[in-house]
Amino acid sequence: MAGQEGKPNVLFLLPPGWDALSKALFGHQAFNSFLHGKDHYAPQQIDYFVGFRPPHGFLKSLPRLKAIFSLGAGVDGFLRDPEFPRHLPVVRFVDETLQREMAQYVTMHALIIHRQQRAFDAAQRESTWKQRMLARPSRDVRIGILGMGDIGAVTAERLLMFDFQVFGWSRSRKTVPDVTSFAGAEELPQFLASCDIMVCMLPLTPETENILDAKLFAGLPQGAWVMNVGRGGHCKEDDLLAALNSDHLGGAVLDVFQTEPLPADSPFWKHPKVTVTPHIAGITDPRNASAFVVDCVTRAQSGAPFKNVVDLTRGY
Ligand code: GLV
C-alpha cells in the first residue's frame, strides 16, 4: 500500500461533507491517511481508525488496530457492533464547540417554548395580530436535564443565564453550580415531577435504551415538553406520540430518531406539537476534529495516555 514506512497508518471513515477534515489531515506529517471506500489500503496495516458509525463487523477486519477515535461525542455507534473489538481503547470527542452548540440548541428551543413562538409563527401564517401573555416568567420555568455530563453542564450554565430553574439527573450525583442534582433510579420520579421541559442528553447504553417511555412521560407534569438531543434509541416513539396525542405532553422537540433519516411517512413530520430537526443539535467541527485526531495519534505514538477514553462497561 501507499504511505511512508515508519509512520502509523490511520484509516478514516468520514461522513458525507467532511472534506474539511480530510483536507486538513491528509498528508499530515505525523501519519499516513487512508479514506475507507476510496483509497487502496491494506487492512492488516491499519493502526488507528477514525469515524462515527462504522458498519458492524468492519473494525474486526483490521487485525493490527491499536485504538479507535470517535468523531462524535456519543460512541453507541461503535459499541452496538456485536463484533466490536472490546480490548481496544475508544477515545471520545469531547469538544467545547460541540458542548456550546448543543447548549445553544437547547437554549434556543427552551426560549421558543417559553416565549410561545410557535403560536406567533402560526398567527403570522394567518396574517393575524394576536398578542399573548407569557404563561409565567422564566424564573418559574423548570428545565430538567436528563444526563448531566460535560454537555449537560454547559447547557445548564447557558439556561441559567436566561433565569430558568435548572435540574439535572444522572447515574451518579454531579455538582454543577446553581443546579439541583438528582441521581439514580430512586430519584428519577422526583426529577421528572420537577420538569416543565425535560431535555434528554444521555449517552445511549443498554441501561438508557428506551428510557423515554410511557411510564417516564406519565411522571412528567401535565403540559410538560420533551426535548430529545440524545439518541433516537432513547425514545419509544409510539409512547411519545400517545403522550402527545392524549394532551399529557405540551409538545416535543426532536433532533434524533429511531430511524435516521426520519422516514417521509413518520407522523412526527407533520405533528402540530412537534419540532423536527435532522440530528444537527451538535455538529462536530472538522477543524476541532482534526486537532483531536492529531492529538490522539501523537499521544499514541509517544506512549502518552489518551484523554477521554470510554469506559466500555458504562458505555460512555
Ligand atoms: C452526535 O450525535 C455526537 O455524538 O457527537
Side-chain angles (χ1 to χ4, degrees):
M1 86 181 179
Q4 264 177 264
E5 290 303 316
K7 287 200 214 170
N9 296 321
V10 182
L11 179 61
F12 291 81
L13 202 171
L14 297 178
W18 277 65
D19 306 354
L21 181 70
S22 41
K23 277 203 193 91
L25 288 177
F26 283 62
H28 196 279
Q29 54 175 8
F31 47 82
N32 300 314
S33 313
F34 298 91
L35 201 52
H36 171 59
K38 262 198 185 168
D39 290 2
H40 179 68
Y41 63 92
Q44 67 278 12
Q45 290 177 14
I46 296 301
D47 298 292
Y48 305 110
F49 175 84
V50 177
F52 185 47
R53 287 174 168 163
H56 286 185
F58 178 70
L59 294 170
K60 194 186 139 209
S61 73
L62 307 173
R64 191 166 98 176
L65 202 59
K66 299 187 185 95
I68 292 160
F69 309 137
S70 167
L71 287 178
V75 293
D76 48 292
F78 290 97
L79 303 189
R80 301 192 121 204
D81 176 355
E83 299 184 284
F84 181 77
R86 296 185 72 89
H87 60 287
L88 295 177
V90 183
V91 187
R92 206 165 78 78
F93 183 60
V94 174
D95 176 58
E96 263 188 25
T97 309
L98 185 76
Q99 292 165 348
R100 288 181 186 164
E101 287 180 2
M102 291 283 284
Q104 212 173 67
Y105 179 99
V106 172
T107 309
M108 173 178 81
H109 285 285
L111 288 168
I112 288 172
I113 295 165
H114 170 58
R115 301 296 308 226
Q116 310 174 36
Q117 185 57 40
R118 291 167 61 97
F120 295 116
D121 290 340
Q124 185 181 350
R125 282 193 293 274
E126 309 291 320
S127 309
T128 308
W129 182 272
K130 192 163 175 233
Q131 294 180 324
R132 297 167 71 104
M133 304 290 280
L134 285 182
R136 55 201 147 182
S138 58
R139 65 173 179 277
D140 292 342
V141 176
R142 302 162 303 168
I143 305 187
I145 299 176
L146 188 69
M148 190 46 104
D150 58 287
I151 300 173
V154 177
T155 304
E157 196 184 285
R158 299 297 196 264
L159 290 169
L160 288 164
M161 284 166 61
F162 288 93
D163 304 318
F164 293 113
Q165 288 180 39
V166 185
F167 297 77
W169 180 88
S170 36
R171 215 162 87 134
S172 55
R173 199 173 310 282
K174 299 281 161 54
T175 310
V176 179
D178 300 317
V179 173
T180 309
S181 166
F182 294 91
E186 56 298 344
E187 294 183 13
L188 185 60
Q190 210 188 334
F191 165 81
L192 295 173
S194 317
C195 293
D196 296 310
I197 302 174
M198 194 211 62
V199 186
C200 174
M201 303 193 107
L202 287 164
L204 183 63
T205 68
E207 273 178 48
T208 65
E209 186 162 9
N210 289 327
I211 188 169
L212 307 182
D213 64 358
K215 182 161 174 261
L216 180 142
F217 298 135
L220 292 167
Q222 158 78 38
W225 279 69
V226 169
M227 234 190 262
N228 190 10
V229 293
R231 286 287 184 259
H234 285 128
C235 184
K236 281 196 168 171
E237 295 183 342
D238 288 346
D239 288 6
L240 175 58
L241 279 167
L244 289 164
N245 293 340
S246 71
D247 269 348
H248 178 61
L249 292 181
V253 175
L254 305 173
D255 185 51
V256 288
F257 300 90
Q258 290 274 2
T259 304
E260 292 177 11
L262 184 62
D265 62 355
S266 164
F268 288 131
W269 282 116
K270 301 225 160 72
H271 198 292
K273 292 163 78 173
V274 175
T275 294
V276 168
T277 54
H279 199 146
I280 45 70
I283 302 250
T284 297
D285 177 330
R287 284 158 303 188
N288 297 4
S290 310
F292 162 71
V293 173
V294 172
D295 178 65
C296 287
V297 175
T298 311
R299 283 169 183 272
Q301 288 304 103
S302 68
F306 293 124
K307 290 199 270 183
N308 303 310
V309 177
V310 173
D311 174 343
L312 294 186
T313 54
R314 283 190 327 190
Y316 56 96

